[in-house]
Amino acid sequence: MLLNDVLNEKGKEVHTIPSNASIDDVVTELVRFNIGSLLVRDSPGGPILGIITERDILRALAAHQAPLEELRVSTCMSCDLITAQAQDDITVAMRLMTTHRVRHLPVVEGEALYGIVSIGDIVKAHHDELELENHLMLNYIQGGGSSVVAS
Amino acid sequence: MHTTIQTLLDRKGHDVHSIRADQTVFEAIFQMDALHVGGLIVKDGARVVGIITERDYLRKVILRGRSSKETLVETIMTRDLESVTPEDSVDVAMRLMTEKRCRHLPVFKDGELDGIVSIGDLVKEIIVVRDPGIQRLHFQSVSPKYQSTVI
């Protein structure tokens, strides 16, 4: 299954936040949309400056111990973005996530931002693929094998 | 996937990071950050009473305006634990995480805590199995046996 397929099913909407917003604002947005990360950009259609995740917030709080409204996105975000291509298989996304220890991958098509996938999306996609395989296999066995092959 | 949780734990180890229910959320955050984990098992003495994750912290402390230094772990922890046994398959764990939208599952063997699996552990396991799987399916689809069935 390709990341393009995953995004077609879950949607391509990407939530963003400006770099001068507070961590308090980030938490509000994460909870509002029930997601684990926001991409950082200062203007609609502008360049992506980084990503801020639940883990970044945890790290920032442990390190700074400052009130959340005083912490800015720009000081807590990760600027080194690990991205995948829309035509990559989900296995590629899994490798990127485990190698770089990230749970969110912005998906690009060429240079343009296309969507974002989380580790939860990828595991769900893999699981759905397995279920489909099992279903087809069962049909194949119950149908004596010929119907699936012939079609 | 029929790899068992036992196999996964044999590879990964049975260590479980935990915290006491009467410690503060701030201590939990600090520990999670230091250990680079997203969740801790909560214990009352030797008894497992829940789990605390970075998501609990974001949603139940920050959002509700509580202070992490004055809030106890037991106040915000998740008490209804989803769990697996060593005999369960990785597949079962995947389904549970997808359905319950959680990223950590404690493993209980005969009622005793035996380890913990994270969504990242599952993805690592999937990668190990996935590539040979793709090759095998590809081989089957062009195998002479299937071709002769079509003819």
Side-chain angles (χ1 to χ4, degrees):
Chain A
M1 192 184 286
L2 306 181
L3 295 182
N4 191 27
D5 303 323
V6 178
L7 287 174
N8 277 337
E9 192 177 324
K10 86 160 234 201
K12 299 188 180 89
E13 196 177 8
V14 175
H15 299 286
T16 65
I17 192 143
S19 59
N20 63 357
S22 72
I23 295 303
D24 217 18
D25 297 331
V26 175
V27 175
T28 307
E29 292 296 282
L30 293 181
V31 175
R32 183 171 151 212
F33 296 112
N34 199 21
I35 51 177
S37 73
L38 295 170
L39 291 181
V40 183
R41 77 170 154 201
D42 287 339
S43 57
I48 300 296
L49 306 171
I51 186 168
I52 183 145
T53 68
E54 292 167 309
R55 182 61 55 90
D56 293 324
I57 298 171
L58 199 80
R59 195 176 300 139
L61 282 162
H64 299 295
Q65 300 183 30
L68 287 174
E69 52 278 9
E70 288 174 19
L71 283 174
R72 298 288 129 193
V73 169
S74 53
T75 54
C76 307
M77 67 182 187
S78 311
C79 299
D80 295 329
L81 272 188
I82 311 293
T83 60
Q85 295 284 332
Q87 294 306 313
D88 283 337
D89 186 83
I90 56 172
T91 314
V92 174
M94 289 186 207
R95 281 228 185 78
L96 285 171
M97 286 175 172
T98 51
T99 307
H100 298 281
R101 292 181 64 86
V102 294
R103 291 191 300 227
H104 300 89
L105 286 178
V107 181
V108 294
E109 197 173 44
E111 300 270 294
L113 180 64
Y114 190 65
I116 188 163
V117 289
S118 73
I119 195 166
D121 297 329
I122 297 296
V123 167
K124 181 179 183 303
H126 171 77
H127 184 256
D128 290 349
E129 207 175 50
L130 276 188
E131 296 258 288
L132 181 69
E133 244 173 56
N134 288 344
H135 179 73
L136 290 177
M137 192 63 79
L138 197 69
N139 276 356
Y140 176 76
I141 294 165
Q142 287 175 345
S146 56
S147 61
V148 171
V149 177
S151 65
Chain B
M1 194 184 324
H2 301 297
T3 312
T4 61
I5 297 296
Q6 179 72 53
T7 311
L8 191 154
L9 285 183
D10 287 346
R11 217 178 335 249
K12 166 199 169 178
H14 294 255
D15 285 352
V16 178
H17 300 297
S18 64
I19 191 157
R20 289 195 327 269
D22 61 355
Q23 287 183 263
T24 65
V25 171
F26 182 75
E27 288 173 296
I29 295 167
F30 212 76
Q31 199 172 323
M32 282 194 254
D33 180 53
L35 296 166
H36 301 289
V37 296
L40 298 170
I41 290 291
V42 184
K43 287 185 171 179
D44 181 4
R47 201 162 54 95
V48 174
V49 290
I51 188 168
I52 180 169
T53 67
E54 49 195 339
R55 189 150 283 192
D56 289 326
Y57 168 63
L58 250 63
R59 279 155 177 68
K60 299 176 194 166
V61 176
I62 300 183
L63 197 69
R64 296 185 196 171
R66 290 166 164 157
S67 154
S68 65
K69 287 185 178 165
E70 286 157 21
T71 308
L72 297 184
V73 167
E74 62 190 0
T75 312
I76 66 154
M77 67 183 183
T78 302
R79 290 167 194 271
D80 294 330
L81 275 185
E82 299 296 336
S83 65
V84 286
T85 68
E87 293 78 33
D88 280 329
S89 66
V90 165
D91 214 7
V92 165
M94 260 195 292
R95 191 180 320 131
L96 260 180
M97 285 193 190
T98 303
E99 280 172 8
K100 308 290 179 187
R101 290 179 67 89
C102 63
R103 294 191 292 228
H104 302 86
L105 291 173
V107 185
F108 286 98
K109 184 179 182 181
D110 304 324
E112 296 288 319
L113 186 63
D114 189 39
I116 188 163
V117 290
S118 73
I119 195 164
D121 297 329
L122 293 190
V123 168
K124 275 184 205 149
E125 201 60 46
I126 295 167
I127 293 175
V128 172
V129 182
R130 199 175 158 92
D131 272 350
I134 289 169
Q135 284 159 17
R136 193 183 64 240
L137 282 174
H138 177 70
F139 170 74
Q140 281 182 353
S141 67
V142 294
S143 76
K145 181 183 152 216
Y146 279 27
Q147 285 173 0
S148 63
T149 313
V150 176
I151 291 163

